Amino acid sequence: MKLTSIVIALFLSAFSAGASAREPEEVAGRLFLKLTGTPLSLGDSRRQGMIDLVKAGKLEEAARIATADPAFFNLTIRHWGAPLTNRAESPAIGLNDATAMIIGLARDQKDFREILTGNFTYGSPEVALSPYNDQHYAQISDLNLAKVLTRVEPQNADLDEAAGILTSRAWGEAHLQAGTNRRAIEFTFRQFLCNPLQNMRDGTIPDTRVHRDVDRSPGGNSQTYLTTCRTCHAGMDALVGAYAYYRFDNTGPFGAGVLQASKVQRKYNQNGDVYPEGYVTTDDSWINLFTENQNKQLQWRGPLSGKGIKEFGRMIADSGAFSKCMVKRTYSQICHRDLETTESAVLDGLANRFEQSGYKLRELFEQVAVHPTCL
Ligand code: HEC
């Protein structure tokens, strides 16, 4: 065979494979299944409309029909959001306030950065219990959440300052209970920047904010501190001041969940005798020192220091890494594979669209579902 005929043969086979994969009926069915987790039956009244839109090349409008289905919120968004709200990162957990917030923001087409900054929650007025009680969510867990969830403000009357999920009951139970609140910082990176602390370690960060409870010479070896402990704690301890006034309490008459005091919680300065010269927390100020070397990729944009959890949440939500992380999570779920490192143009493109759309989670799902690399 001559080279030209090989090329033509290849072209024809690629074309016919492409054409069969792009039958409008099949595309409509795939889009619906990807976005709702449920098949589009032949008798469904929305089917022809979706097929016509696909034929007309209006894939995004076809996807919009799918995301109007309650299953998009009740199954797809819920399954996407639940792992962000618990320590085991399990999607198979009962409904909680944090997952309800994610579903609510998606349904109401709010700026999804509110998930780290907003003073709101979502619950159902049909349940007598306050939305700040886990029993509230047990009672509505099996209902049509796309319908029953109602926005409630403020998030929690006991808090002076709320920051979306970061002050939710579920998050507090997972990360602010006992301990030193450091885990809440670690999991913010993990869940919202898709960046485990392990990847952020940097031995060049000044250790002026490392707390007194961290041994500077573990096992009598100061090198261990310098090469190991410091690489995480120098950056993390400088940020954990954001949570200095918060703790989680599930016991006693005031067992209301996340509690906020007007002074630094005792746990911040516990075990001060380990290294008395270490940093003493006196207020809720924080400073972001994870800004050099590999952490430049996080694309920090706003102020790199502040006070309290809301300003911290704002910094995370405004970063480039936040938008990319939301894309990566959505892509993995909808397209059943992770974006490859070689696909950075796809990632950047979808992240830019997400930001230009005003951070609308529903639109992000639609954009991902219709993306040629996914469909
Ligand atoms: C990979 C990052 C990382 C490294 C390296 C690291 N830590 Fe930590 N450390 C953390 C995180 C995250 C927490 C919070 C853990 C939690 O509460 O679940 C923590 C918590 C602590 C605490 C508080 C424990 C408590 O709850 O009272 C101490 C003390 C501590 N680390 C000391 C050290 C020492 C000493 C070293 C070096 C031998 C070290 N860390 C190395 C990330 C790190």
Side-chain angles (χ1 to χ4, degrees):
M1 224 181 342
K2 283 202 306 211
L3 185 62
T4 40
S5 39
I6 295 175
V7 170
I8 289 168
L10 282 173
F11 175 79
L12 285 176
S13 67
F15 181 76
S16 57
S20 72
R22 289 194 201 103
E23 288 297 342
E25 290 78 8
E26 198 190 332
V27 171
R30 275 206 220 168
L31 271 182
F32 194 86
L33 184 61
K34 276 184 187 302
L35 288 165
T36 66
T38 47
L40 180 63
S41 67
L42 287 173
D44 194 302
S45 60
R46 295 163 295 182
R47 187 165 175 270
Q48 196 54 50
M50 281 186 74
I51 291 170
D52 291 344
L53 286 168
V54 171
K55 276 185 189 155
K58 295 177 176 166
L59 286 174
E60 291 164 21
E61 286 176 46
R64 178 117 299 211
I65 293 178
T67 59
D69 191 285
F72 171 67
F73 302 101
N74 295 338
L75 296 175
T76 308
I77 296 286
R78 181 173 177 171
H79 191 268
W80 182 91
L84 306 180
T85 70
N86 67 96
R87 196 173 169 181
E89 304 182 289
S90 167
I93 51 155
L95 186 68
N96 59 42
D97 61 339
T99 308
M101 285 179 198
I102 292 172
I103 299 169
L105 288 182
R107 184 202 59 190
D108 294 348
Q109 304 198 60
K110 296 283 186 187
D111 183 326
F112 194 64
R113 288 174 298 176
E114 275 192 42
I115 204 64
L116 297 173
T117 59
N119 189 1
F120 69 97
T121 187
Y122 277 85
S124 169
E126 286 159 43
V127 179
L129 286 163
S130 120
Y132 209 64
N133 185 313
D134 270 344
Q135 285 308 310
H136 182 99
Y137 296 98
Q139 290 188 22
I140 62 171
S141 187
D142 297 329
L143 302 182
N144 178 2
L145 299 172
K147 186 155 169 271
V148 301
L149 284 181
T150 305
R151 191 173 166 107
V152 180
E153 295 176 18
Q155 181 176 111
N156 172 352
D158 293 334
L159 299 183
D160 290 334
E161 186 173 277
I165 244 181
L166 301 180
T167 47
S168 68
R169 186 187 175 96
W171 186 268
E173 190 168 4
H175 307 306
L176 301 175
Q177 201 164 185
T180 53
N181 290 359
R182 287 172 170 118
R183 193 165 67 244
I185 303 297
E186 177 195 15
F187 270 74
T188 305
F189 299 147
R190 199 180 165 82
Q191 310 300 27
F192 296 102
L193 302 181
C194 296
N195 211 19
L197 189 54
Q198 189 64 26
N199 293 352
M200 299 175 76
R201 294 173 67 168
D202 184 346
T204 68
I205 295 176
D207 68 345
T208 41
R209 296 281 291 229
V210 176
H211 293 188
R212 296 181 303 173
D213 59 349
V214 175
D215 198 339
R216 302 310 199 263
S217 186
N221 186 349
S222 59
Q223 277 306 311
T224 305
Y225 167 74
L226 292 173
T227 59
T228 308
C229 322
R230 177 180 156 165
T231 61
C232 284
H233 280 271
M236 174 176 61
D237 288 17
L239 287 167
V240 74
Y243 269 116
Y245 299 160
Y246 296 82
R247 73 191 154 94
F248 183 87
D249 192 342
N250 211 7
T251 58
F254 302 110
V258 176
L259 298 179
Q260 184 180 7
S262 52
K263 58 176 173 43
V264 175
Q265 298 284 353
R266 207 192 60 83
K267 58 178 162 181
Y268 269 74
N269 293 310
Q270 71 189 9
N271 300 326
D273 53 344
V274 173
Y275 186 73
E277 293 77 28
Y279 183 78
V280 178
T281 304
T282 56
D283 60 17
D284 65 346
S285 67
W286 52 264
I287 173 163
N288 185 359
L289 301 173
F290 283 124
T291 54
E292 298 301 319
N293 301 316
Q294 80 276 23
N295 294 316
K296 282 192 178 133
Q297 290 167 19
L298 299 172
Q299 296 176 285
W300 303 113
R301 288 161 176 166
L304 292 171
S305 62
K307 277 180 158 260
I309 195 60
K310 193 184 175 79
E311 289 180 8
F312 171 78
R314 167 69 56 203
M315 175 181 72
I316 299 289
D318 283 344
S319 72
F322 171 76
S323 305
K324 287 183 182 166
C325 180
M326 298 304 103
V327 170
K328 285 181 196 163
R329 288 185 173 283
T330 304
Y331 200 96
S332 304
Q333 178 168 332
I334 294 285
C335 315
H336 307 293
R337 68 174 183 93
D338 292 339
L339 273 167
E340 309 277 342
T341 43
T342 52
E343 296 175 294
S344 61
V346 177
L347 177 61
D348 291 349
L350 287 166
N352 286 339
R353 285 282 311 232
F354 180 49
E355 292 182 4
Q356 280 156 17
S357 81
Y359 294 84
K360 304 288 187 330
L361 195 62
R362 181 174 165 187
E363 262 184 72
L364 173 60
F365 272 80
E366 293 160 0
Q367 290 293 328
V368 168
V370 304
H371 199 277
T373 63
C374 185
L375 201 59

